[in-house]
Amino acid sequence: MPRFAANLSMLYNDVDFLDRFAAAAREGFKAVEYLFPYAYPAPELATRLQANGLQQVLFNAPPGNWDAGERGLACLPGREAEFREGIAKAIEYAQALQCPRIHVMAGLVPQGADAATVRATYIANVRYAAEQAAPHGIQILLEPINGRDMPGFFLSRQDQAHALIAEIGAANVKVQMDLYHCQIVEGDLAMKVRQYLPTGNVGHFQIAGVPERHEPDVGEINYTYLFKLLDSMGYDGWIGCEYRPARGAAAHATSDGLGWLKPWL
Ligand SMILES: O=C(O)[C@@H](O)C(=O)CO
Ligand SMILES: [Mg+2]
């Protein structure tokens, strides 16, 4: 049976970040994920998790200067020292939050950069992150992201991610298969799940409706079919609910849109 994690970066935006833990738990979630923990001391976040009986299942490594438009450092030649500092910080947080997965965002390909150098930088950086994370039992996740939301993002396709994993050659590197991005870039979702889940290299799923990135029951994807497929294939990992409620940050917008989840809790 798929298990669902509330993405606190997108859900419950009608309350302050630290209050989103309790809001998710009240709704029956047993796990949370979010983009970045770094604005808060790890013990504060750990307290929120514990007080609400929640597991932290995923967060992202520092992405560079997010406000300036950066979306990860892994593929950026010349930024290796900063990348390594970010990995150390992410592992520290992961240990404090007992979080078994860190998403390492690939980054935007620098204009005019040599493609082979960018790829080699990415592989070396992810390999480094994997080596650092492995002794702590932490997985490093790579997420293909669609180019409409993030133009120029280095990693956009599932086959690209799986080929890179084969080349990186570390057992703790997995794909974060976000079905929202996958539908936009390549479609054929059920066949992609059938192809990649049995490889053992999918470490996490995320979902949202397409194209608006609202609730999974809004839009062109039949998630009921896909959840049953995942169930029939024995997937018992986490599925991150990474969508923007259709009613935005209005009071109770997340709760009002959670009807789709009830049969799966
Ligand atoms: O899909 C996404 O946007 C996220 O999972 C992420 O980590 C980067 O924004
Ligand atoms: Mg995602």
Side-chain angles (χ1 to χ4, degrees):
M1 183 85 160
R3 296 179 291 164
F4 293 89
N7 185 298
L8 300 186
S9 300
M10 290 205 181
L11 301 183
Y12 303 107
N13 273 231
D14 53 329
V15 297
D16 288 342
F17 181 76
L18 290 176
D19 296 330
R20 294 176 197 168
F21 293 81
R26 267 197 302 274
E27 223 88 57
F29 284 105
K30 302 282 180 240
V32 296
E33 58 172 43
Y34 41 81
L35 286 179
F36 308 113
Y38 314 107
Y40 304 92
E44 172 72 63
L45 297 170
T47 303
R48 300 282 165 157
L49 290 167
Q50 209 178 11
N52 293 292
L54 292 165
Q55 288 180 57
Q56 177 86 38
V57 295
L58 174 79
F59 64 81
N60 292 8
N65 189 343
W66 184 270
D67 293 339
E70 292 190 323
R71 293 293 181 266
L73 298 171
C75 81
L76 303 189
R79 301 284 293 277
E80 289 83 353
E82 197 183 335
F83 177 83
R84 289 180 175 213
E85 277 169 32
I87 293 301
K89 191 173 185 180
I91 291 174
E92 244 175 70
Y93 268 83
Q95 287 181 280
L97 304 178
Q98 295 179 31
C99 178
R101 290 168 208 86
I102 297 171
H103 170 207
V104 170
M105 292 184 73
L108 309 181
V109 176
Q111 277 200 341
D114 172 59
T117 307
V118 169
R119 191 170 192 277
T121 304
Y122 181 77
I123 289 173
N125 276 333
V126 174
R127 211 173 261 151
Y128 172 85
E131 278 164 17
Q132 299 300 304
H136 308 288
I138 295 170
Q139 289 181 350
I140 296 297
L141 299 194
L142 316 181
E143 180 185 43
I145 292 184
N146 82 78
R148 185 163 62 225
D149 288 359
M150 284 189 199
F153 197 72
F154 172 75
L155 188 60
S156 61
R157 296 187 58 88
Q158 306 302 310
D159 56 0
Q160 187 191 1
H162 284 273
L164 284 161
I165 285 183
E167 202 169 330
I168 290 160
N172 62 329
V173 180
K174 306 283 179 194
V175 175
Q176 179 169 320
M177 190 171 188
D178 187 325
L179 296 173
Y180 161 80
H181 296 302
C182 188
Q183 167 72 355
I184 292 170
V185 177
E186 43 197 309
D188 207 11
L189 294 179
M191 294 306 284
K192 295 272 150 52
V193 169
R194 287 193 182 112
Q195 179 180 356
Y196 291 118
L197 191 55
T199 66
N201 283 337
V202 178
H204 189 67
F205 282 92
Q206 289 177 322
I207 54 166
V210 173
E212 291 89 359
R213 211 173 196 179
H214 289 328
E215 281 80 356
D217 57 349
V218 178
E220 69 196 39
I221 303 179
N222 181 351
Y223 273 111
T224 302
Y225 180 88
L226 292 171
F227 296 157
K228 285 183 184 160
L229 174 65
L230 287 170
D231 204 18
S232 73
M233 293 180 74
Y235 181 70
D236 62 356
W238 293 100
I239 298 178
C241 303
E242 191 181 32
Y243 61 83
R244 297 185 196 92
R247 292 185 52 243
H252 313 300
T254 299
S255 316
D256 291 351
L258 275 177
W260 67 271
L261 181 64
K262 304 297 173 208
W264 302 97
L265 281 179

